Amino acid sequence: MDYTPEEMLAIAQKFDTTGTINEIKPLGPGFINDTFIVKTEGEGDRKYILQRKNHLIFPDVPGMMKNIELVTGHIRRKVIAEGGDPLREVLTVTERKPGTMTEDEKKDPAGHLYFKDANGNFWAMCIFIEGSVTYEKADTPELCYKGGQGIGKFQARLSDFTTPLNETIKGFHNIRWRFTQWEETLKRDAAGRVKDLAEEISWIESRKDEMLDFWKKVEDGTIPTRVTHNDTKISNILFDQKGDVLCVIDLDTCMSSTSLNDFGDAIRSYTNTGAEDDKNLDNVSMSLEMFDAYTRGYMSMRKGNLTAAEIENLAFSARYITYEQVLRFLMDYIDGDRYYKTAYPGHNLVRTHAQYKLLRSIEDQYEAMKATVMKYAE
Ligand code: GN1
Ligand code: MG
């Protein structure tokens, strides 16, 4: 992405910051969007997060920003009612500076939430939360416990949210839709890689039926649909210096789904003893100790508010989401690496193998995981 410092400044100035912008620097390892930190000086100086939202992945950025406005507004009211700090415990979207908006932008119901530049790229801003800490990996059960509590609380605060949300990515955690994409991806074979992937393809094919059986329970309403985050890996949570969850971030995929997907995706991330893209597969496994701690934290917030079907399928959701992640990394590799940012050739295949190792470890420990869930559900 090539923008000059002057162009970046002009973009940042479209938003209603306090103080005068004096620095814009790239931030963080996100796979999808480009993120910058913006500093201001003078009266009201503070930091902001500026993001170029990837509109190739999120086809309706205005609809997505509208979701974020609604969801953060709802959580903000809860935080205030609980006596919390609304500038730290929920994302605050920085709106457009009124004088910079065109008549057309003013007519758009989401026009105050983003800026579309001359290249067709979409930008949005929010307040940076000072003193917050992020992790790429959970090294202690304590952090898992707190992370589980954080997502449990997030779901609890949204449990009475009823406004319909836009579907920001079609069929995001819908495995039936993912299989349609899978068939198309194999047929297209865009990078000529399918011929070398017989083993990896068999990993996907051999588990299709059990994954569809799970998803049928969502389709027929056995497992309820709720407003959920859908991307709950540890790096999408801000912690405070004491290790408590401060704020859930990266709300781009916040939409209607099942609470199980948030649990499963968090387990995929928190319990992995290795990295998501570990080249050394010996490092990768599911830690039952971390699973226990995350489940304990999550259940401390959600116990009594989950249905029997949700509890019964909670452990399976870790298999489901980890499998889905194997599938998504593999599809992107087959497609010639067009979705996820990659750091080197073959990165998506390394990710596929590492996530598959994790999936096998989860499968091996599945009975113990189910028993753990039951222990905290009682
Ligand atoms: C992406 O945007 P980020 O880095 O938080 C992806 C998730 C994947 C994750 C894998 C919109 O998350 O679904 O699980 O990478 N987000 C999107 O690390 O596809
Ligand atoms: Mg993220």
Side-chain angles (χ1 to χ4, degrees):
M1 218 206 28
D2 286 330
Y3 282 79
T4 63
E6 293 73 27
E7 286 168 331
M8 288 301 297
L9 179 64
I11 290 164
Q13 284 172 336
K14 298 287 183 192
F15 295 91
D16 204 5
T17 58
T18 51
T20 309
I21 297 169
N22 68 352
E23 192 178 277
I24 304 178
K25 281 206 303 212
L27 178 83
F31 289 6
I32 311 285
N33 299 319
D34 298 309
T35 306
F36 301 83
I37 186 150
V38 175
K39 287 188 192 162
T40 70
E41 62 182 0
E43 207 188 321
D45 62 328
R46 57 159 80 239
K47 294 187 195 125
Y48 296 86
I49 296 291
L50 175 66
Q51 270 193 323
R52 185 183 71 98
K53 299 287 187 182
N54 190 330
H55 63 279
L56 302 176
I57 286 178
F58 298 106
D60 177 14
V61 175
M64 174 172 93
M65 292 308 299
K66 200 69 205 167
N67 283 1
I68 295 176
E69 181 183 52
L70 290 167
V71 165
T72 55
H74 187 89
I75 298 177
R76 182 168 303 108
R77 286 188 287 278
K78 293 283 168 84
V79 170
I80 292 170
E82 290 161 15
D85 181 348
L87 281 177
R88 293 178 68 71
E89 292 177 40
V90 60
L91 273 191
T92 305
V93 175
T94 305
E95 297 190 0
R96 287 287 303 280
K97 203 179 282 169
T100 70
M101 289 177 71
T102 64
E103 287 311 308
D104 278 350
E105 285 174 336
K106 284 182 197 159
K107 277 187 220 138
D108 172 357
H112 56 298
L113 302 171
Y114 70 94
F115 170 64
K116 186 177 178 186
D117 71 22
N119 300 322
N121 285 317
F122 289 82
W123 299 84
M125 193 183 264
C126 64
I127 291 180
F128 175 81
I129 301 174
E130 287 288 351
S132 55
V133 183
T134 54
Y135 299 90
E136 282 301 308
K137 221 177 151 315
D139 285 327
T140 63
E142 184 63 10
L143 198 59
C144 294
Y145 174 76
K146 300 283 188 184
Q149 257 190 340
I151 285 297
K153 199 168 183 184
F154 179 83
Q155 290 186 347
R157 284 172 171 166
L158 287 173
S159 59
D160 58 346
F161 180 92
T162 49
T163 318
L165 292 175
N166 294 294
E167 189 178 28
T168 60
I169 296 183
K170 181 178 159 65
F172 192 52
H173 288 313
N174 174 342
I175 208 71
R176 194 182 295 286
W177 171 245
R178 293 289 180 191
F179 287 144
T180 304
Q181 292 181 320
W182 170 241
E183 298 305 331
E184 287 166 4
T185 304
L186 289 177
K187 205 162 11 142
R188 199 165 46 230
D189 192 12
R193 291 173 171 170
V194 164
K195 62 180 181 339
D196 301 317
L197 297 168
E199 191 187 345
E200 291 82 352
I201 290 170
S202 78
W203 299 342
I204 300 301
E205 294 293 335
S206 63
R207 292 166 174 83
K208 260 178 149 174
D209 288 348
E210 64 188 13
M211 296 302 157
L212 280 170
D213 283 346
F214 169 79
W215 193 248
K216 274 182 209 148
K217 294 184 216 165
V218 177
E219 290 169 328
D220 71 15
T222 306
I223 295 171
T225 301
R226 303 178 188 273
V227 173
T228 55
H229 183 278
N230 294 303
D231 189 5
T232 49
K233 64 182 183 188
I234 189 166
S235 58
N236 285 335
I237 307 267
L238 303 183
F239 293 84
D240 67 15
Q241 310 280 350
K242 297 197 311 273
D244 287 319
V245 167
L246 197 52
C247 179
V248 178
I249 58 169
D250 203 350
L251 304 175
D252 298 352
T253 52
C254 210
M255 53 185 158
S256 184
S257 182
T258 92
S259 57
L260 301 181
N261 291 337
D262 280 357
F263 183 82
D265 199 33
I267 297 308
R268 182 184 74 77
S269 156
Y270 284 77
T271 70
N272 189 350
T273 54
E276 188 182 63
D277 59 351
D278 223 306
K279 284 184 178 160
N280 182 355
L281 296 182
D282 291 340
N283 292 338
V284 178
S285 66
M286 202 280 297
S287 158
L288 201 54
E289 187 190 9
M290 301 294 185
F291 180 80
D292 188 291
Y294 189 92
T295 308
R296 185 163 56 88
Y298 179 73
M299 288 308 246
S300 72
M301 288 290 157
R302 298 300 286 142
K303 199 170 123 174
N305 295 298
L306 298 175
T307 67
E310 286 176 299
I311 291 170
E312 208 175 291
N313 288 282
L314 212 52
F316 190 83
S317 72
R319 286 169 62 175
Y320 181 82
I321 289 287
T322 308
Y323 170 88
E324 184 198 283
Q325 196 66 68
V326 177
L327 173 69
R328 290 174 64 199
F329 283 146
L330 182 57
M331 280 203 290
D332 198 32
Y333 180 68
I334 294 173
D335 238 356
D337 311 310
R338 293 201 291 212
Y339 186 94
Y340 293 108
K341 288 184 192 169
T342 51
Y344 53 85
H347 196 174
N348 272 319
L349 190 59
V350 169
R351 288 168 170 156
T352 303
H353 281 248
Q355 290 290 290
Y356 180 64
K357 174 76 196 299
L358 180 65
L359 175 62
R360 279 183 19 228
S361 175
I362 293 174
E363 288 171 345
D364 288 347
Q365 300 180 82
Y366 182 51
E367 290 308 318
M369 290 165 73
K370 282 200 294 191
T372 303
V373 169
M374 292 323 290
K375 182 170 78 181
Y376 294 118
E378 269 151 22

